[in-house]
Each structure stands twice: as structure tokens, then as C-alpha cells.
mmCIF file of all heavy atoms in Angstrom:
data_model
loop_
_atom_site.group_PDB
_atom_site.id
_atom_site.type_symbol
_atom_site.label_atom_id
_atom_site.label_comp_id
_atom_site.label_asym_id
_atom_site.label_seq_id
_atom_site.Cartn_x
_atom_site.Cartn_y
_atom_site.Cartn_z
ATOM 1 N N PHE A 115 5.441 18.046 -4.979
ATOM 2 C CA PHE A 115 5.396 17.874 -6.437
ATOM 3 C C PHE A 115 4.187 18.541 -7.042
ATOM 4 O O PHE A 115 3.075 18.530 -6.403
ATOM 5 C CB PHE A 115 5.390 16.395 -6.816
ATOM 6 C CG PHE A 115 6.608 15.640 -6.359
ATOM 7 C CD1 PHE A 115 6.664 15.086 -5.098
ATOM 8 C CD2 PHE A 115 7.697 15.486 -7.224
ATOM 9 C CE1 PHE A 115 7.798 14.382 -4.665
ATOM 10 C CE2 PHE A 115 8.800 14.780 -6.810
ATOM 11 C CZ PHE A 115 8.856 14.216 -5.525
ATOM 12 N N GLU A 116 4.281 19.077 -8.215
ATOM 13 C CA GLU A 116 3.147 19.554 -8.977
ATOM 14 C C GLU A 116 2.683 18.457 -9.928
ATOM 15 O O GLU A 116 1.498 18.385 -10.239
ATOM 16 C CB GLU A 116 3.470 20.828 -9.727
ATOM 17 C CG GLU A 116 3.788 22.038 -8.833
ATOM 18 C CD GLU A 116 4.028 23.290 -9.621
ATOM 19 O OE1 GLU A 116 3.889 23.248 -10.873
ATOM 20 O OE2 GLU A 116 4.363 24.351 -9.008
ATOM 21 N N ASP A 117 3.610 17.675 -10.410
ATOM 22 C CA ASP A 117 3.303 16.591 -11.361
ATOM 23 C C ASP A 117 3.103 15.298 -10.563
ATOM 24 O O ASP A 117 3.988 14.806 -9.888
ATOM 25 C CB ASP A 117 4.436 16.406 -12.337
ATOM 26 C CG ASP A 117 4.174 15.408 -13.427
ATOM 27 O OD1 ASP A 117 3.532 14.392 -13.150
ATOM 28 O OD2 ASP A 117 4.599 15.635 -14.579
ATOM 29 N N LYS A 118 1.882 14.737 -10.612
ATOM 30 C CA LYS A 118 1.521 13.520 -9.880
ATOM 31 C C LYS A 118 2.306 12.305 -10.331
ATOM 32 O O LYS A 118 2.598 11.399 -9.533
ATOM 33 C CB LYS A 118 0.018 13.272 -9.936
ATOM 34 C CG LYS A 118 -0.838 14.283 -9.217
ATOM 35 C CD LYS A 118 -0.477 14.299 -7.731
ATOM 36 C CE LYS A 118 -1.372 15.297 -6.968
ATOM 37 N NZ LYS A 118 -1.020 15.314 -5.492
ATOM 38 N N TYR A 119 2.654 12.254 -11.611
ATOM 39 C CA TYR A 119 3.420 11.140 -12.099
ATOM 40 C C TYR A 119 4.851 11.211 -11.624
ATOM 41 O O TYR A 119 5.466 10.161 -11.331
ATOM 42 C CB TYR A 119 3.362 11.104 -13.637
ATOM 43 C CG TYR A 119 2.007 10.638 -14.186
ATOM 44 C CD1 TYR A 119 1.045 11.549 -14.498
ATOM 45 C CD2 TYR A 119 1.711 9.270 -14.331
ATOM 46 C CE1 TYR A 119 -0.212 11.191 -14.954
ATOM 47 C CE2 TYR A 119 0.455 8.863 -14.778
ATOM 48 C CZ TYR A 119 -0.510 9.829 -15.105
ATOM 49 O OH TYR A 119 -1.735 9.421 -15.552
ATOM 50 N N GLU A 120 5.381 12.361 -11.531
ATOM 51 C CA GLU A 120 6.727 12.562 -10.953
ATOM 52 C C GLU A 120 6.723 12.179 -9.483
ATOM 53 O O GLU A 120 7.654 11.538 -9.000
ATOM 54 C CB GLU A 120 7.175 14.026 -11.162
ATOM 55 C CG GLU A 120 8.584 14.282 -10.674
ATOM 56 C CD GLU A 120 9.002 15.733 -10.817
ATOM 57 O OE1 GLU A 120 8.280 16.505 -11.494
ATOM 58 O OE2 GLU A 120 10.073 16.104 -10.272
ATOM 59 N N GLU A 121 5.652 12.560 -8.806
ATOM 60 C CA GLU A 121 5.503 12.216 -7.410
ATOM 61 C C GLU A 121 5.433 10.670 -7.238
ATOM 62 O O GLU A 121 6.045 10.109 -6.346
ATOM 63 C CB GLU A 121 4.291 12.853 -6.795
ATOM 64 C CG GLU A 121 4.079 12.527 -5.316
ATOM 65 C CD GLU A 121 2.828 13.206 -4.746
ATOM 66 O OE1 GLU A 121 2.145 13.950 -5.459
ATOM 67 O OE2 GLU A 121 2.562 12.954 -3.543
ATOM 68 N N ARG A 122 4.689 10.044 -8.130
ATOM 69 C CA ARG A 122 4.558 8.581 -8.065
ATOM 70 C C ARG A 122 5.939 7.923 -8.200
ATOM 71 O O ARG A 122 6.258 7.036 -7.398
ATOM 72 C CB ARG A 122 3.635 8.073 -9.157
ATOM 73 C CG ARG A 122 3.620 6.555 -9.306
ATOM 74 C CD ARG A 122 3.007 6.131 -10.607
ATOM 75 N NE ARG A 122 1.557 6.027 -10.500
ATOM 76 C CZ ARG A 122 0.781 5.697 -11.538
ATOM 77 N NH1 ARG A 122 1.313 5.441 -12.710
ATOM 78 N NH2 ARG A 122 -0.541 5.626 -11.401
ATOM 79 N N ASP A 123 6.727 8.360 -9.139
ATOM 80 C CA ASP A 123 8.070 7.761 -9.317
ATOM 81 C C ASP A 123 8.927 7.937 -8.096
ATOM 82 O O ASP A 123 9.622 6.998 -7.671
ATOM 83 C CB ASP A 123 8.741 8.369 -10.550
ATOM 84 C CG ASP A 123 8.093 7.930 -11.859
ATOM 85 O OD1 ASP A 123 7.376 6.893 -11.853
ATOM 86 O OD2 ASP A 123 8.332 8.618 -12.897
ATOM 87 N N TYR A 124 8.902 9.098 -7.555
ATOM 88 C CA TYR A 124 9.690 9.392 -6.331
ATOM 89 C C TYR A 124 9.227 8.553 -5.154
ATOM 90 O O TYR A 124 10.081 7.933 -4.452
ATOM 91 C CB TYR A 124 9.622 10.877 -5.990
ATOM 92 C CG TYR A 124 10.300 11.235 -4.677
ATOM 93 C CD1 TYR A 124 11.720 11.403 -4.632
ATOM 94 C CD2 TYR A 124 9.568 11.384 -3.526
ATOM 95 C CE1 TYR A 124 12.358 11.703 -3.451
ATOM 96 C CE2 TYR A 124 10.170 11.739 -2.338
ATOM 97 C CZ TYR A 124 11.567 11.883 -2.264
ATOM 98 O OH TYR A 124 12.188 12.188 -1.100
ATOM 99 N N GLN A 125 7.962 8.498 -4.919
ATOM 100 C CA GLN A 125 7.401 7.785 -3.766
ATOM 101 C C GLN A 125 7.629 6.285 -3.915
ATOM 102 O O GLN A 125 7.851 5.574 -2.917
ATOM 103 C CB GLN A 125 5.927 8.097 -3.582
ATOM 104 C CG GLN A 125 5.596 9.505 -3.253
ATOM 105 C CD GLN A 125 6.126 9.977 -1.893
ATOM 106 O OE1 GLN A 125 6.732 9.180 -1.130
ATOM 107 N NE2 GLN A 125 5.936 11.259 -1.530
ATOM 108 N N LYS A 126 7.569 5.738 -5.132
ATOM 109 C CA LYS A 126 7.881 4.337 -5.322
ATOM 110 C C LYS A 126 9.318 4.056 -4.914
ATOM 111 O O LYS A 126 9.622 2.953 -4.339
ATOM 112 C CB LYS A 126 7.624 3.923 -6.749
ATOM 113 C CG LYS A 126 6.152 3.814 -7.100
ATOM 114 C CD LYS A 126 5.957 3.521 -8.623
ATOM 115 C CE LYS A 126 6.525 2.174 -9.006
ATOM 116 N NZ LYS A 126 6.359 1.911 -10.461
ATOM 117 N N GLY A 127 10.240 4.944 -5.204
ATOM 118 C CA GLY A 127 11.619 4.794 -4.768
ATOM 119 C C GLY A 127 11.709 4.797 -3.277
ATOM 120 O O GLY A 127 12.472 3.967 -2.712
ATOM 121 N N ARG A 128 10.962 5.653 -2.618
ATOM 122 C CA ARG A 128 10.983 5.711 -1.155
ATOM 123 C C ARG A 128 10.417 4.423 -0.560
ATOM 124 O O ARG A 128 10.899 3.892 0.450
ATOM 125 C CB ARG A 128 10.180 6.918 -0.640
ATOM 126 C CG ARG A 128 10.689 8.240 -1.173
ATOM 127 C CD ARG A 128 12.110 8.547 -0.841
ATOM 128 N NE ARG A 128 12.268 9.045 0.521
ATOM 129 C CZ ARG A 128 13.482 9.374 1.033
ATOM 130 N NH1 ARG A 128 14.575 9.233 0.301
ATOM 131 N NH2 ARG A 128 13.570 9.822 2.271
ATOM 132 N N LEU A 129 9.383 3.891 -1.220
ATOM 133 C CA LEU A 129 8.760 2.638 -0.719
ATOM 134 C C LEU A 129 9.792 1.467 -0.865
ATOM 135 O O LEU A 129 9.875 0.613 0.035
ATOM 136 C CB LEU A 129 7.522 2.311 -1.494
ATOM 137 C CG LEU A 129 6.678 1.118 -1.013
ATOM 138 C CD1 LEU A 129 6.324 1.264 0.473
ATOM 139 C CD2 LEU A 129 5.415 1.002 -1.860
ATOM 140 N N ALA A 130 10.510 1.433 -1.974
ATOM 141 C CA ALA A 130 11.520 0.387 -2.141
ATOM 142 C C ALA A 130 12.602 0.503 -1.057
ATOM 143 O O ALA A 130 13.016 -0.506 -0.474
ATOM 144 C CB ALA A 130 12.183 0.526 -3.517
ATOM 145 N N LEU A 131 12.998 1.733 -0.695
ATOM 146 C CA LEU A 131 13.951 1.926 0.409
ATOM 147 C C LEU A 131 13.344 1.470 1.725
ATOM 148 O O LEU A 131 14.047 0.892 2.551
ATOM 149 C CB LEU A 131 14.343 3.404 0.483
ATOM 150 C CG LEU A 131 15.191 3.983 -0.597
ATOM 151 C CD1 LEU A 131 15.411 5.476 -0.383
ATOM 152 C CD2 LEU A 131 16.587 3.292 -0.673
ATOM 153 N N ALA A 132 12.045 1.708 1.904
ATOM 154 C CA ALA A 132 11.396 1.287 3.133
ATOM 155 C C ALA A 132 11.492 -0.216 3.335
ATOM 156 O O ALA A 132 11.769 -0.691 4.471
ATOM 157 C CB ALA A 132 9.933 1.729 3.117
ATOM 158 N N PHE A 133 11.296 -0.981 2.283
ATOM 159 C CA PHE A 133 11.403 -2.454 2.399
ATOM 160 C C PHE A 133 12.839 -2.883 2.717
ATOM 161 O O PHE A 133 13.057 -3.810 3.496
ATOM 162 C CB PHE A 133 10.898 -3.122 1.101
ATOM 163 C CG PHE A 133 9.406 -3.178 1.015
ATOM 164 C CD1 PHE A 133 8.711 -2.370 0.121
ATOM 165 C CD2 PHE A 133 8.693 -4.043 1.808
ATOM 166 C CE1 PHE A 133 7.346 -2.429 0.043
ATOM 167 C CE2 PHE A 133 7.304 -4.110 1.737
ATOM 168 C CZ PHE A 133 6.629 -3.313 0.850
ATOM 169 N N ARG A 134 13.793 -2.208 2.117
ATOM 170 C CA ARG A 134 15.162 -2.558 2.405
ATOM 171 C C ARG A 134 15.548 -2.179 3.841
ATOM 172 O O ARG A 134 16.342 -2.901 4.467
ATOM 173 C CB ARG A 134 16.095 -1.859 1.403
ATOM 174 C CG ARG A 134 15.875 -2.347 -0.027
ATOM 175 C CD ARG A 134 16.904 -1.759 -0.988
ATOM 176 N NE ARG A 134 16.675 -2.245 -2.374
ATOM 177 C CZ ARG A 134 17.656 -2.397 -3.259
ATOM 178 N NH1 ARG A 134 18.916 -2.145 -2.924
ATOM 179 N NH2 ARG A 134 17.393 -2.855 -4.484
ATOM 180 N N ILE A 135 14.977 -1.106 4.357
ATOM 181 C CA ILE A 135 15.173 -0.729 5.742
ATOM 182 C C ILE A 135 14.578 -1.813 6.647
ATOM 183 O O ILE A 135 15.209 -2.242 7.626
ATOM 184 C CB ILE A 135 14.560 0.658 6.012
ATOM 185 C CG1 ILE A 135 15.369 1.750 5.358
ATOM 186 C CG2 ILE A 135 14.466 0.896 7.546
ATOM 187 C CD1 ILE A 135 14.706 3.100 5.340
ATOM 188 N N PHE A 136 13.374 -2.240 6.369
ATOM 189 C CA PHE A 136 12.711 -3.294 7.175
ATOM 190 C C PHE A 136 13.549 -4.541 7.182
ATOM 191 O O PHE A 136 13.708 -5.197 8.176
ATOM 192 C CB PHE A 136 11.293 -3.547 6.632
ATOM 193 C CG PHE A 136 10.210 -2.776 7.330
ATOM 194 C CD1 PHE A 136 10.394 -1.453 7.696
ATOM 195 C CD2 PHE A 136 8.979 -3.351 7.589
ATOM 196 C CE1 PHE A 136 9.433 -0.738 8.329
ATOM 197 C CE2 PHE A 136 7.978 -2.648 8.242
ATOM 198 C CZ PHE A 136 8.191 -1.306 8.604
ATOM 199 N N ALA A 137 14.114 -4.892 5.996
ATOM 200 C CA ALA A 137 14.925 -6.078 5.917
ATOM 201 C C ALA A 137 16.186 -5.966 6.748
ATOM 202 O O ALA A 137 16.615 -6.874 7.482
ATOM 203 C CB ALA A 137 15.283 -6.395 4.474
ATOM 204 N N LYS A 138 16.817 -4.780 6.712
ATOM 205 C CA LYS A 138 18.041 -4.506 7.462
ATOM 206 C C LYS A 138 17.777 -4.640 8.945
ATOM 207 O O LYS A 138 18.654 -5.107 9.700
ATOM 208 C CB LYS A 138 18.569 -3.120 7.124
ATOM 209 C CG LYS A 138 19.907 -2.809 7.772
ATOM 210 C CD LYS A 138 20.436 -1.459 7.292
ATOM 211 C CE LYS A 138 21.785 -1.151 7.933
ATOM 212 N NZ LYS A 138 22.349 0.124 7.436
ATOM 213 N N PHE A 139 16.606 -4.223 9.412
ATOM 214 C CA PHE A 139 16.265 -4.303 10.848
ATOM 215 C C PHE A 139 15.731 -5.668 11.261
ATOM 216 O O PHE A 139 15.375 -5.864 12.378
ATOM 217 C CB PHE A 139 15.286 -3.201 11.201
ATOM 218 C CG PHE A 139 15.939 -1.856 11.411
ATOM 219 C CD1 PHE A 139 16.186 -1.008 10.325
ATOM 220 C CD2 PHE A 139 16.316 -1.428 12.682
ATOM 221 C CE1 PHE A 139 16.768 0.215 10.525
ATOM 222 C CE2 PHE A 139 16.910 -0.196 12.902
ATOM 223 C CZ PHE A 139 17.135 0.626 11.799
ATOM 224 N N GLY A 140 15.621 -6.600 10.290
ATOM 225 C CA GLY A 140 15.147 -7.920 10.598
ATOM 226 C C GLY A 140 13.651 -8.036 10.741
ATOM 227 O O GLY A 140 13.157 -8.936 11.433
ATOM 228 N N PHE A 141 12.895 -7.119 10.115
ATOM 229 C CA PHE A 141 11.451 -7.180 10.247
ATOM 230 C C PHE A 141 10.766 -8.167 9.276
ATOM 231 O O PHE A 141 9.583 -8.380 9.312
ATOM 232 C CB PHE A 141 10.831 -5.794 10.012
ATOM 233 C CG PHE A 141 11.314 -4.743 11.054
ATOM 234 C CD1 PHE A 141 11.207 -3.381 10.761
ATOM 235 C CD2 PHE A 141 11.776 -5.128 12.292
ATOM 236 C CE1 PHE A 141 11.577 -2.418 11.679
ATOM 237 C CE2 PHE A 141 12.168 -4.196 13.233
ATOM 238 C CZ PHE A 141 12.095 -2.848 12.916
ATOM 239 N N ASP A 142 11.580 -8.726 8.344
ATOM 240 C CA ASP A 142 11.020 -9.639 7.384
ATOM 241 C C ASP A 142 10.932 -11.045 8.012
ATOM 242 O O ASP A 142 11.778 -11.421 8.881
ATOM 243 C CB ASP A 142 11.841 -9.718 6.100
ATOM 244 C CG ASP A 142 13.351 -9.853 6.363
ATOM 245 O OD1 ASP A 142 13.769 -9.642 7.499
ATOM 246 O OD2 ASP A 142 14.082 -10.202 5.405
ATOM 247 N N GLU A 143 9.932 -11.812 7.662
ATOM 248 C CA GLU A 143 9.736 -13.134 8.186
ATOM 249 C C GLU A 143 9.196 -14.000 7.049
ATOM 250 O O GLU A 143 7.954 -14.027 6.812
ATOM 251 C CB GLU A 143 8.783 -13.101 9.360
ATOM 252 C CG GLU A 143 8.381 -14.454 9.966
ATOM 253 C CD GLU A 143 9.520 -15.065 10.846
ATOM 254 O OE1 GLU A 143 10.433 -14.313 11.160
ATOM 255 O OE2 GLU A 143 9.403 -16.232 11.213
ATOM 256 N N GLY A 144 10.068 -14.601 6.301
ATOM 257 C CA GLY A 144 9.614 -15.367 5.117
ATOM 258 C C GLY A 144 8.952 -14.433 4.146
ATOM 259 O O GLY A 144 9.569 -13.459 3.674
ATOM 260 N N VAL A 145 7.694 -14.687 3.801
ATOM 261 C CA VAL A 145 6.967 -13.844 2.828
ATOM 262 C C VAL A 145 5.973 -12.974 3.532
ATOM 263 O O VAL A 145 5.161 -12.303 2.848
ATOM 264 C CB VAL A 145 6.298 -14.739 1.753
ATOM 265 C CG1 VAL A 145 7.294 -15.514 0.936
ATOM 266 C CG2 VAL A 145 5.240 -15.680 2.411
ATOM 267 N N ALA A 146 5.973 -12.970 4.892
ATOM 268 C CA ALA A 146 4.971 -12.179 5.624
ATOM 269 C C ALA A 146 5.359 -10.721 5.686
ATOM 270 O O ALA A 146 6.553 -10.380 5.661
ATOM 271 C CB ALA A 146 4.813 -12.725 7.026
ATOM 272 N N GLY A 147 4.380 -9.834 5.764
ATOM 273 C CA GLY A 147 4.618 -8.413 5.961
ATOM 274 C C GLY A 147 4.400 -7.635 4.672
ATOM 275 O O GLY A 147 4.634 -8.150 3.573
ATOM 276 N N HIS A 148 4.013 -6.391 4.859
ATOM 277 C CA HIS A 148 3.706 -5.539 3.705
ATOM 278 C C HIS A 148 3.683 -4.059 4.111
ATOM 279 O O HIS A 148 3.333 -3.699 5.246
ATOM 280 C CB HIS A 148 2.352 -5.892 3.070
ATOM 281 C CG HIS A 148 1.524 -6.832 3.870
ATOM 282 N ND1 HIS A 148 0.695 -6.397 4.921
ATOM 283 C CD2 HIS A 148 1.434 -8.196 3.879
ATOM 284 C CE1 HIS A 148 0.068 -7.426 5.466
ATOM 285 N NE2 HIS A 148 0.515 -8.536 4.881
ATOM 286 N N ILE A 149 4.102 -3.231 3.191
ATOM 287 C CA ILE A 149 3.987 -1.768 3.316
ATOM 288 C C ILE A 149 3.324 -1.250 2.067
ATOM 289 O O ILE A 149 3.708 -1.670 0.963
ATOM 290 C CB ILE A 149 5.380 -1.086 3.425
ATOM 291 C CG1 ILE A 149 6.261 -1.798 4.477
ATOM 292 C CG2 ILE A 149 5.221 0.364 3.827
ATOM 293 C CD1 ILE A 149 7.677 -1.298 4.505
ATOM 294 N N THR A 150 2.318 -0.400 2.238
ATOM 295 C CA THR A 150 1.583 0.092 1.067
ATOM 296 C C THR A 150 1.691 1.585 0.968
ATOM 297 O O THR A 150 1.786 2.294 1.967
ATOM 298 C CB THR A 150 0.079 -0.312 1.156
ATOM 299 O OG1 THR A 150 -0.452 0.067 2.429
ATOM 300 C CG2 THR A 150 -0.079 -1.809 0.954
ATOM 301 N N LEU A 151 1.599 2.080 -0.275
ATOM 302 C CA LEU A 151 1.657 3.506 -0.574
ATOM 303 C C LEU A 151 0.446 3.854 -1.411
ATOM 304 O O LEU A 151 0.159 3.243 -2.474
ATOM 305 C CB LEU A 151 2.924 3.798 -1.411
ATOM 306 C CG LEU A 151 2.932 5.160 -2.161
ATOM 307 C CD1 LEU A 151 3.066 6.296 -1.173
ATOM 308 C CD2 LEU A 151 4.088 5.183 -3.197
ATOM 309 N N ARG A 152 -0.331 4.834 -0.963
ATOM 310 C CA ARG A 152 -1.466 5.324 -1.728
ATOM 311 C C ARG A 152 -0.949 5.959 -3.037
ATOM 312 O O ARG A 152 -0.008 6.765 -3.004
ATOM 313 C CB ARG A 152 -2.266 6.357 -0.949
ATOM 314 C CG ARG A 152 -3.573 6.762 -1.617
ATOM 315 C CD ARG A 152 -4.233 7.927 -0.879
ATOM 316 N NE ARG A 152 -4.653 7.527 0.485
ATOM 317 C CZ ARG A 152 -5.744 6.894 0.790
ATOM 318 N NH1 ARG A 152 -6.600 6.575 -0.179
ATOM 319 N NH2 ARG A 152 -6.036 6.631 2.067
ATOM 320 N N ASP A 153 -1.484 5.567 -4.148
ATOM 321 C CA ASP A 153 -0.995 6.039 -5.440
ATOM 322 C C ASP A 153 -1.364 7.538 -5.595
ATOM 323 O O ASP A 153 -2.518 7.888 -5.499
ATOM 324 C CB ASP A 153 -1.587 5.217 -6.575
ATOM 325 C CG ASP A 153 -1.064 5.677 -7.933
ATOM 326 O OD1 ASP A 153 0.145 5.892 -8.051
ATOM 327 O OD2 ASP A 153 -1.896 5.840 -8.865
ATOM 328 N N PRO A 154 -0.395 8.412 -5.861
ATOM 329 C CA PRO A 154 -0.703 9.822 -6.073
ATOM 330 C C PRO A 154 -1.571 10.077 -7.272
ATOM 331 O O PRO A 154 -2.356 11.067 -7.278
ATOM 332 C CB PRO A 154 0.677 10.461 -6.259
ATOM 333 C CG PRO A 154 1.656 9.470 -5.608
ATOM 334 C CD PRO A 154 1.052 8.140 -5.901
ATOM 335 N N VAL A 155 -1.534 9.250 -8.291
ATOM 336 C CA VAL A 155 -2.292 9.444 -9.503
ATOM 337 C C VAL A 155 -3.716 8.938 -9.323
ATOM 338 O O VAL A 155 -4.679 9.622 -9.719
ATOM 339 C CB VAL A 155 -1.584 8.735 -10.718
ATOM 340 C CG1 VAL A 155 -2.436 8.932 -11.994
ATOM 341 C CG2 VAL A 155 -0.216 9.297 -10.910
#
């Protein structure tokens, strides 16, 4: 991406998918666990 705000929107979508993938694989345990994304902006 050339636009950092556009990159942010895209990467946030990928992060949301990451959590759903973790849930599908059974990696969630109550409220424990976290995945973080460095903000492009």
C-alpha cells in the first residue's frame, strides 16, 4: 500500500480473520489470548 490509512483498514480485516481462525482451531480459552497488529499509521 502507498496509503497508510488504506493499509490500516486492510490489515484490521486480516486481524479479524486471524481471530476467527484461532477460534475455529480451538485456540480460544474463555477471555484469554490476544493477537496484536502494529498500526501502520
Side-chain angles (χ1 to χ4, degrees):
F115 298 86
E116 294 184 5
D117 186 322
K118 292 298 181 182
Y119 287 93
E120 183 181 349
E121 180 180 358
R122 172 195 275 178
D123 289 342
Y124 174 80
Q125 296 294 358
K126 286 176 64 181
R128 303 302 278 179
L129 186 57
L131 290 175
F133 281 107
R134 294 187 180 210
I135 289 168
F136 266 39
K138 184 175 181 179
F139 279 85
F141 298 159
D142 49 344
E143 178 76 11
V145 297
H148 12 85
I149 311 173
T150 52
L151 163 70
R152 187 186 298 277
D153 182 45
V155 178

